[in-house]
């Protein structure tokens, strides 16, 4: 080959990722716009009121709890000069729950850096895992640059308290102590794995807050970068992880023992330039297996300029007969999740329960924090929440609402400083109207009132849309319910 064609080849190779990224940007942008206009059913991120990352599922009874980390929205970043920075701004950890896999209830921040008095930085609330052990809930949290701490509670909702007052592990010579995953085997022994780019493990004592063993550094597992997720399925042990950066896919390794040796088995989700970072969380729920991970798809609805404003998505995952995992296509390329049971509209539904609520925000009642550590109370436990920042044309979508033989009335608990028209529609944001209701001044935004209206033609199972228009002043939504 001549020097000239050599140069051309090198240039083509160097440009390849840029070209691929540009193509991905164009096709994902189109797909996301189609999804927003409801022209196509797309497997979109689970949550829209906040940017979320690092999903950690925990099944308790008939409920799937999903703990996530939280990428601050620009307006919640305390230093105004940092608001357009691309880096991580992470102060607290969030909780979400579902019983049907498609309608999720937000529970807000359940813990924050503030719950660790020994923290040295006000940023760095990275990937957690919460596990249940003997009726208590243990939340293992990396404080980036300061080791891994643990919080304990009697309930998944908190309040969580720090029983140690110091890190559970902290190898001071580096910043690799991130992304803890904790697994208790059938023989009662509990293991914690963590680390980037090395994989570390240690055994925990039965108290779950102290180490029984020293820290072992594993030989490099092919493709391993960070975000380990340790679990067992049938007789096999699995270590899922974020694969070598960047872009990160979801890799996994298998073993016959919880401590290895581990054999890298390839990918649960192949790396793609559509997603720079990923992070697995896996669980069985109501007879199916789900893999959760993260992407930038929510941010991509508006912008492809890189910021750490991530969003959690989920897909169903299946095993081959030999225990290996069937590769899952990219989040946007799998069908939307199947709803596991219909939603009952005849009991109180929190306004912050939604399948989709793009543009809306939520907060805990009586707690006026912005999301930043300085404004935050210590872990509060379960709190009522409200939906706010409601703008013209926005809506809350609930999937699969079972009206049975017919709804007669609708009630909505809300507060308002002016007017806001709520139109209830079926199946689409511009679908048939079953009721309208005008929220009027309630005295103050802290003063909630129940507004009611008649309902027509709401029978059987439909998606329900609460559509907002004619807004003259801020309003907040607490809960709603239909009556027969
Ligand atoms: O969310 C902060 C860090 O990014 C996590 O700890 C890593 O796993 C990556 O998702």
């Amino acid at each position: 080959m001549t020097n000239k064609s050599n140069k051309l080849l090198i240039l083509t190779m160097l440009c390849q990722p840029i070209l691929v990224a540009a193509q991905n940007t164009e096709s994902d942008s189109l797909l996301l716009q189609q999804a927003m206009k409801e022209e196509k059913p797309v497997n979109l991120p689970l949550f829209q009121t906040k940017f979320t990352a690092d999903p950690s599922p925990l099944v308790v009874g008939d409920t799937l709890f999903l703990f996530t980390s939280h990428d601050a929205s620009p307006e919640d970043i305390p230093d105004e000069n940092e608001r357009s920075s691309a880096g991580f701004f992470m102060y607290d950890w969030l909780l979400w729950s579902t019983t049907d896999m498609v309608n999720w209830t937000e529970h807000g921040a359940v813990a924050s850096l503030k719950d660790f008095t020994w923290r040295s930085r006000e940023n760095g609330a990275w990937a957690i895992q919460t596990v249940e052990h003997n009726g208590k809930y243990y939340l293992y949290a990396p404080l980036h640059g300061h080791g891994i701490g643990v919080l304990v509670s009697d309930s998944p909702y908190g309040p969580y308290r720090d029983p140690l007052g110091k890190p559970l592990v902290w190898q001071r010579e580096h910043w690799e102590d991130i992304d803890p995953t904790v697994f208790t085997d059938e023989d009662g022994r509990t293991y914690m794995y963590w680390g980037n780019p090395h994989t570390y493990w240690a055994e925990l004592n039965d108290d779950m807050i102290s180490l029984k063993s020293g820290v072992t550094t594993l030989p490099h597992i092919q493709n391993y970068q960070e975000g380990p997720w340790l679990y067992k399925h049938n007789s096999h042990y699995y270590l899922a992880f974020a694969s070598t950066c960047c872009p990160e896919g979801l890799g996994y390794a298998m073993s016959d023992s919880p401590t290895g040796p581990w054999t890298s088995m390839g990918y649960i989700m192949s790396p793609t330039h559509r997603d720079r970072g990923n992070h697995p969380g896996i669980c069985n729920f109501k007879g199916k297996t789900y893999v959760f991970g993260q992407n930038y798809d929510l941010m991509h609805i508006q912008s492809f300029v890189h910021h750490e404003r991530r969003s959690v998505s989920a897909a169903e995952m299946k095993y081959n007969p030999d225990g290996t995992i069937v590769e899952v296509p990219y989040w946007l390329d799998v069908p939307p999740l199947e709803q596991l049971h219909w939603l009952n509209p005849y009991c109180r539904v929190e306004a912050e329960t939604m399948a989709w609520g793009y543009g809306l925000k939520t907060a805990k009642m009586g707690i006026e924090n912005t999301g930043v550590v300085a404004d935050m109370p210590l872990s509060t436990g379960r709190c009522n929440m409200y939906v706010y920042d409601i703008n013209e044309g926005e809506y809350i979508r609930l999937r699969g609402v079972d009206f049975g033989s017919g709804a007669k009335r609708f009630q909505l608990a809300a507060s308002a400083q002016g007017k806001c028209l709520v139109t209830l529609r079926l199946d689409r944001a511009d679908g048939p109207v079953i009721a309208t209701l005008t929220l009027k001044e309630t005295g103050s935004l802290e003063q909630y009132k129940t507004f009611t209206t008649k309902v027509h033609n709401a029978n059987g199972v439909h998606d329900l849309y609460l559509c907002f228009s004619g807004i003259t002043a801020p309003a907040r939504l607490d809960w709603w319910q239909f009556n027969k």
Side-chain angles (χ1 to χ4, degrees):
M1 228 188 286
T2 64
N3 251 356
K4 209 171 163 190
S5 50
N6 251 343
K7 273 188 196 154
L8 196 66
L9 182 69
I10 293 167
L11 198 68
T12 317
M13 280 164 63
L14 286 175
C15 289
Q16 198 62 24
I18 301 171
L19 290 175
V20 172
Q23 279 161 7
N24 290 335
T25 305
E26 219 173 278
S27 56
D28 277 357
S29 172
L30 182 67
L31 192 60
L32 290 166
Q33 293 317 316
Q34 285 173 323
M36 292 298 284
K37 289 189 223 146
E38 303 198 300
E39 290 168 2
K40 220 178 194 173
V42 178
N43 186 44
L44 293 166
L46 300 176
F47 318 119
Q48 305 81 44
T49 55
K50 295 183 175 64
F51 291 109
T52 54
D54 307 321
S56 160
L58 172 70
V59 175
V60 182
D62 78 335
T63 303
L64 195 163
F65 290 95
L66 192 71
F67 292 81
T68 67
S69 47
H70 178 191
D71 288 331
S73 295
E75 64 275 17
D76 290 337
I77 297 171
D79 181 345
E80 284 185 27
N81 300 320
E82 294 278 22
R83 289 187 175 167
S84 53
S85 306
F88 291 116
F89 296 92
M90 303 175 73
Y91 315 114
D92 55 10
W93 295 282
L94 308 174
L95 178 63
W96 315 77
S97 70
T98 186
T99 56
D100 66 11
M101 281 312 287
V102 302
N103 296 304
W104 289 83
T105 303
E106 180 173 352
H107 304 289
V110 286
S112 79
L113 292 172
K114 204 163 183 172
D115 292 303
F116 296 100
T117 51
W118 45 269
R119 73 188 182 278
S120 55
R121 298 169 65 227
E122 304 294 43
N123 183 4
W126 284 20
I128 57 169
Q129 184 175 356
T130 305
V131 297
E132 188 271 337
H133 190 79
N134 294 337
K136 291 208 180 294
Y137 297 85
Y138 296 87
L139 185 159
Y140 296 88
L143 280 66
H144 188 222
H146 210 142
I148 294 171
V150 56
L151 299 175
V152 189
S153 174
D154 294 328
S155 149
Y157 303 101
Y160 286 91
R161 298 284 175 254
D162 177 3
L164 295 177
K166 60 176 186 182
L168 171 61
V169 287
W170 186 17
Q171 304 175 85
R172 287 162 201 257
E173 64 278 12
H174 54 66
W175 282 35
E176 292 182 10
D177 296 326
I178 62 163
D179 296 357
T181 177
V182 171
F183 162 73
T184 301
D185 206 352
E186 280 143 29
D187 61 4
R189 295 175 72 174
T190 300
Y191 305 89
M192 182 166 87
Y193 275 62
W194 72 95
N196 172 355
H198 295 109
T199 321
Y200 303 102
W201 72 266
E203 189 171 347
L204 297 187
N205 283 311
D206 195 49
D207 63 8
M208 302 293 273
I209 59 168
S210 60
L211 298 194
K212 188 173 181 179
S213 74
V215 174
T216 300
T217 310
L218 285 174
H220 178 66
I221 300 168
Q222 195 192 355
N223 298 335
Y224 178 91
Q225 180 72 54
E226 59 180 0
W229 184 265
L230 178 68
Y231 72 102
K232 190 177 187 179
H233 171 71
N234 293 336
S235 55
H236 305 293
Y237 294 87
Y238 294 79
L239 191 69
F241 48 80
S243 65
T244 319
C245 189
C246 293
E248 292 175 341
L250 299 178
Y252 77 108
M254 289 176 73
S255 178
D256 296 333
S257 142
T259 57
W262 293 96
T263 308
S264 183
M265 303 303 292
Y267 293 106
I268 300 172
M269 181 177 287
S270 287
T272 159
H273 285 283
R274 301 163 78 177
D275 189 8
R276 183 187 150 88
N278 215 328
H279 184 114
I282 294 169
C283 72
N284 295 329
F285 184 55
K286 301 188 176 174
K288 292 177 187 278
T289 302
Y290 295 97
V291 55
F292 297 83
Q294 73 201 18
N295 50 59
Y296 297 79
D297 293 339
L298 187 70
M299 181 183 81
H300 286 169
I301 291 172
Q302 290 205 321
S303 164
F304 282 81
V305 176
H306 179 72
H307 287 96
E308 293 300 350
R309 293 179 200 149
R310 295 164 293 173
S311 42
V312 163
S313 288
E316 208 182 323
M317 191 183 96
K318 293 205 159 81
Y319 294 93
N320 293 306
D322 64 356
T324 55
I325 295 172
V326 180
E327 195 171 319
V328 177
Y330 184 62
W331 310 110
L332 293 175
D333 297 339
V334 296
L337 290 175
E338 197 185 307
Q339 186 165 358
L340 300 181
H341 66 80
W342 304 134
L343 187 143
N344 176 5
Y346 298 112
C347 51
R348 172 176 163 143
V349 178
E350 297 301 325
E352 64 277 10
T353 297
M354 48 184 94
W356 188 253
Y358 189 73
L360 301 168
K361 287 191 178 166
T362 49
K364 287 187 173 185
M365 256 180 217
I367 300 172
E368 295 300 329
N369 76 62
T370 55
V372 306
V373 177
D375 290 353
M376 218 165 253
L378 291 178
S379 178
T380 54
R382 196 169 189 173
C383 269
N384 197 8
M385 294 189 77
Y386 60 88
V387 172
Y388 73 105
D389 197 23
I390 303 167
N391 293 302
E392 202 67 23
E394 291 176 346
Y395 59 81
I396 293 173
R397 178 190 180 202
L398 283 304
R399 267 179 67 188
V401 176
D402 187 359
F403 293 100
S405 55
K408 297 267 182 310
R409 292 197 74 77
F410 173 74
Q411 27 179 341
L412 173 63
S415 66
Q417 285 181 322
K419 284 192 182 159
C420 171
L421 178 66
V422 184
T423 308
L424 304 191
R425 294 175 181 271
L426 297 185
D427 301 323
R428 288 184 56 84
D430 57 359
V433 176
I434 56 164
T436 56
L437 188 104
T438 302
L439 304 181
K440 295 190 183 118
E441 243 260 82
T442 56
S444 84
L445 284 174
E446 277 70 44
Q447 226 172 311
Y448 288 80
K449 195 183 143 198
T450 307
F451 296 86
T452 65
T453 188
K454 278 190 187 154
V455 177
H456 305 277
N457 303 325
N459 311 301
V461 178
H462 295 274
D463 285 1
L464 171 69
Y465 288 75
L466 280 66
C467 306
F468 310 108
S469 62
I471 301 161
T472 62
R476 294 181 179 181
L477 312 177
D478 183 2
W479 57 267
W480 57 264
Q481 175 169 353
F482 283 85
N483 300 100
K484 290 182 186 174

